């Protein structure tokens, strides 16, 4: 998915359009506890989009982290999932 974001940013950039990708973490609990947004894109695009991102997850505790260029948000979410699922598997093996 992060490679798609890189391609989209390149294609849209050729037309002067800024692109931001965002991995979202928080699941069903995010609504009450806040979401984590892992955002990739040019600094100007991320700064311009912060208000919309804040509105999209308008609850206490939400956080937005600019992870790097386009694709970095989805790449960071991919790493996050790998760690999370690896930990869940380790717990399951231990309890088994």
């Amino acid at each position: 998915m992060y490679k798609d974001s890189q391609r989209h940013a390149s294609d849209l950039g050729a037309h002067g359009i800024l692109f931001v990708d965002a991995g979202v973490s928080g699941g069903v609990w995010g609504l009450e506890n806040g979401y984590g947004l892992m955002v990739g894109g040019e600094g100007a695009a991320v700064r311009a989009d912060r208000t919309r991102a804040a509105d999209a997850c308008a609850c206490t505790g939400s956080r937005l982290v600019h992870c790097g260029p386009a694709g970095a948000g989805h790449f960071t979410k991919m790493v996050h999932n790998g760690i999370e699922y690896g930990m869940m598997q380790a717990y399951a093996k231990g309890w088994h």
Side-chain angles (χ1 to χ4, degrees):
M1 183 178 277
Y2 75 95
K3 291 199 178 269
D4 291 335
S5 294
Q6 292 171 332
R7 182 174 41 82
H8 294 317
S10 178
D11 292 348
L12 292 169
H15 299 285
I17 300 170
L18 297 174
F19 178 86
V20 174
D21 69 282
V24 181
S25 183
V28 296
W29 302 277
L31 185 59
E32 292 182 18
N33 301 313
Y35 294 99
L37 296 174
M38 295 148 268
V39 179
E42 292 181 31
V46 173
R47 285 189 297 279
D49 201 47
R50 274 189 189 270
T51 302
R52 273 172 266 155
D55 288 345
C57 59
C59 51
T60 59
S62 293
R63 299 290 181 262
L64 183 149
V65 176
H66 183 200
C67 301
H74 284 132
F75 185 87
T76 302
K77 177 59 178 172
M78 178 181 68
V79 171
H80 167 278
N81 284 348
I83 294 168
E84 180 179 27
Y85 299 154
M87 288 176 60
M88 288 190 297
Q89 181 67 33
Y91 293 150
K93 283 187 177 280
W95 284 322
H96 179 50

